[in-house]
Amino acid sequence: MPSPPTPAARRLGGASVVLLALAAATPLTVVTAVVPGAYADSGLLALPLLFAGLGLLMLAFTAGYTAMIRRAPGQGALYTFIARGLGRPAGVGAAWLALLSYNALQIGLYGVVAAAAAPLADVEWWVAAGACWVVVAGCGLLGLARTVWLPAVLVVAGIVVAVAYAVANLLDPAAGRLSWTALDPVHLTGVSRPVLGLLFVVGAFAFVGIETTAAYAEDVHAPRRSTARAAVLSVLLLTVLYAASSWAMAVGAGPGRIVAASTARGPELAFDLASARLAPWAVTLGRALVVAGLLAAMLALHHTIARYVVALGRERVLSAGLAAPRPASFTQSLAAGLVIGVCAGFDLDPVESLGRRLAIGGGLGILLLLLATSLAALLLLNRHPGDEGIWRRFGAPSASTIGFGALAYLAYLQFPGLVAAALATVLLGVLYAVVLRFARPVTYAGIGLGGAAVVVAPSTLTVPRPRSPGAHRPDRVNRLAG
């Protein structure tokens, strides 16, 4: 098995992990595209409260998640947790689903970035996607320690712009009066249950990325403390940003006009509100940082996928040649490049073929992984109790399991085909694990252990009977003889 990482490999701090998790969530894209779309499709004024509720669910998830991190940090984060809590076959199924889902998300962003770059440059979509692919592939080969500054700078700049747009809307509200209508819970009752369920699912997608923190356990100085704190901090920052930005957008457009304005303008609404309150360069900068934020998300997801591949290669679930970062990174870049080339060759719609379908499918897969991780934490933490309190060991994992279970059911009602495809992927992984159990039992025994050495004792080993204590003493011998 490969040797464990040396202390020199642990170059990153906790702040870098937080920024990588935030980059994977594409916060500026959520604020400028998802929030107006949610207002337009649902007519729900209390959208900030929905984000706040989802933030509480994510915090409940991080309670059990961080407990699992402190027990067993590793690069293949979610699948290793699931393997320990639900069994090795479920762990391999989760690994297959994680690779499919993260690749779908990352490749789907290449279609989205083409649409985001259209107002800035009149080029073919595959030119913008190809340029981003070159940057991602190059940074992947250089390594995370040398290139982590790029997604960190891009995501910080995007968050600053999102905050600036929100502050501008709050300082100059519609009709000159600050409205609290969007924070009134009574508006949650005015939406039909199917629409509200779809909103919860889409809102949960906006938090995808917070679960990637544990994948960087071998890159940070203090893996247990840094990755656990990064998960909690990223959830808090995203919850505040989404809730505040959606409220500020309703204030800027007016509570009575936000739905109509979102329906009419769509993703342009955020920039329309900014152009009425800020200098023109601020709008141009915002558009550029949306593209930059998507690039940062591609980089963060690329590094996450590479770490999953390295973990699977180290455990011999995949080829042992993928147990190093560069081959794993090259393999992922090659897969993304092939998909982009096929879509460009067949002249497919990038937003529909790459962006929307792959992004939704990837988000659904991550949602199922969060559900399985919550259940694994509930079972493992109570099967082998440690120093965790009752809330972290039982309360929080139970709440997150129920919450994600409800979201998975709502997702199935809206996207039954995609959920069925995700479950089929899990089933294939489970069958592969069963084959490994009989074909390569030593490899099977090491699943979820991060490449640690596995010692298998033969079942026919004879264990000698222990001698009677004190049988060698003379008084004992004489007494037994008499």
Side-chain angles (χ1 to χ4, degrees):
M1 293 293 181
S3 58
T6 61
R10 302 189 183 279
R11 301 179 182 179
L12 302 184
S16 298
V17 180
V18 173
L19 294 176
L20 286 170
L22 294 177
T26 62
L28 184 57
T29 303
V30 172
V31 169
T32 57
V34 176
V35 170
Y39 275 126
D41 295 338
S42 67
L44 177 66
L45 291 180
L47 192 60
L49 298 181
L50 183 140
F51 281 120
L54 287 171
L56 293 177
L57 174 61
M58 295 297 170
L59 285 176
F61 167 77
T62 58
Y65 176 69
T66 54
M68 298 285 279
I69 289 176
R70 291 187 174 93
R71 290 198 180 196
Q75 285 192 324
L78 295 186
Y79 99 83
T80 57
F81 298 161
I82 294 171
R84 296 192 177 195
L86 302 181
R88 294 179 181 89
V92 177
W96 264 215
L97 181 59
L99 289 178
L100 178 65
S101 300
Y102 284 119
N103 271 289
L105 281 174
Q106 198 242 23
I107 296 173
L109 291 179
Y110 286 106
V112 176
V113 75
L120 299 173
D122 186 15
V123 297
E124 295 290 338
W125 74 266
W126 53 266
V127 175
C132 291
W133 181 87
V134 170
V135 175
V136 172
C139 290
L141 293 177
L142 289 175
L144 180 60
R146 297 178 180 177
T147 60
V148 67
W149 60 270
L150 180 57
V153 170
L154 296 180
V155 73
V156 168
I159 292 175
V160 170
V161 167
V163 172
Y165 284 5
V167 171
N169 288 329
L170 294 176
L171 293 179
D172 186 13
R177 184 174 62 88
L178 188 65
S179 173
W180 303 91
T181 304
L183 302 180
D184 190 349
V186 72
H187 294 291
L188 292 174
T189 61
V191 181
S192 64
R193 291 184 180 181
V195 172
L196 189 61
L198 179 61
L199 276 180
F200 272 109
V201 173
V202 174
F205 292 169
F207 288 88
V208 168
I210 58 98
E211 78 291 342
T212 63
T213 57
Y216 303 102
E218 295 185 4
D219 299 282
V220 295
H221 303 300
R224 288 176 171 83
R225 183 177 67 252
S226 297
T227 54
R229 291 179 178 177
V232 177
L233 186 57
S234 60
V235 170
L236 291 174
L237 290 175
L238 289 177
T239 301
V240 173
L241 179 65
Y242 293 157
S245 296
S246 55
W247 172 51
M249 194 173 294
V251 170
R257 296 186 61 255
I258 181 61
V259 174
S262 299
T263 303
R265 297 297 295 161
E268 292 296 315
L269 177 61
F271 301 112
D272 290 346
L273 296 176
S275 63
R277 294 165 172 82
L278 300 173
W281 62 264
V283 177
T284 304
L285 178 62
R287 294 184 185 277
L289 287 177
V290 168
V291 178
L294 293 172
L295 176 61
M298 296 177 201
L299 288 167
L301 292 172
H302 176 89
H303 290 302
T304 300
I305 296 166
R307 274 142 186 79
Y308 271 83
V309 173
V310 167
L312 290 168
R314 185 177 295 170
E315 296 180 357
R316 304 300 193 268
V317 178
L318 294 179
S319 171
L322 298 174
R326 286 189 177 180
S329 177
F330 177 78
T331 302
Q332 198 281 329
S333 297
L334 181 62
L338 288 175
V339 174
I340 295 173
V342 169
C343 290
F346 286 92
D347 197 22
L348 299 178
D349 181 12
V351 176
E352 184 64 27
S353 300
L354 280 180
R356 187 173 303 170
R357 292 180 181 177
L358 290 180
I360 293 176
L364 287 174
I366 303 303
L367 183 62
L368 294 177
L369 287 174
L370 296 180
L371 170 60
T373 304
S374 298
L375 182 58
L378 176 64
L379 296 178
L380 181 64
L381 296 177
N382 289 277
R383 188 164 60 236
H384 305 288
D387 57 355
E388 299 89 4
I390 187 65
W391 167 250
R392 175 167 290 185
R393 188 177 72 247
F394 181 78
S398 298
S400 61
T401 300
I402 295 172
F404 285 124
L407 289 178
Y409 174 72
L410 294 173
Y412 173 75
L413 296 180
Q414 300 293 332
F415 313 102
L418 293 176
V419 175
L423 294 178
T425 303
V426 174
L427 180 59
L428 290 176
V430 170
L431 294 176
Y432 180 72
V434 173
V435 173
L436 285 179
R437 181 176 183 179
F438 294 99
R440 290 188 286 168
V442 175
T443 298
Y444 178 81
I447 293 174
L449 299 181
V454 178
V455 178
V456 180
S459 58
T460 58
L461 181 65
T462 302
V463 180
R465 295 181 59 186
R467 296 182 301 171
S468 299
H472 63 284
R473 299 193 318 234
D475 57 337
R476 177 79 169 171
V477 173
N478 295 335
R479 182 163 58 83
L480 291 175

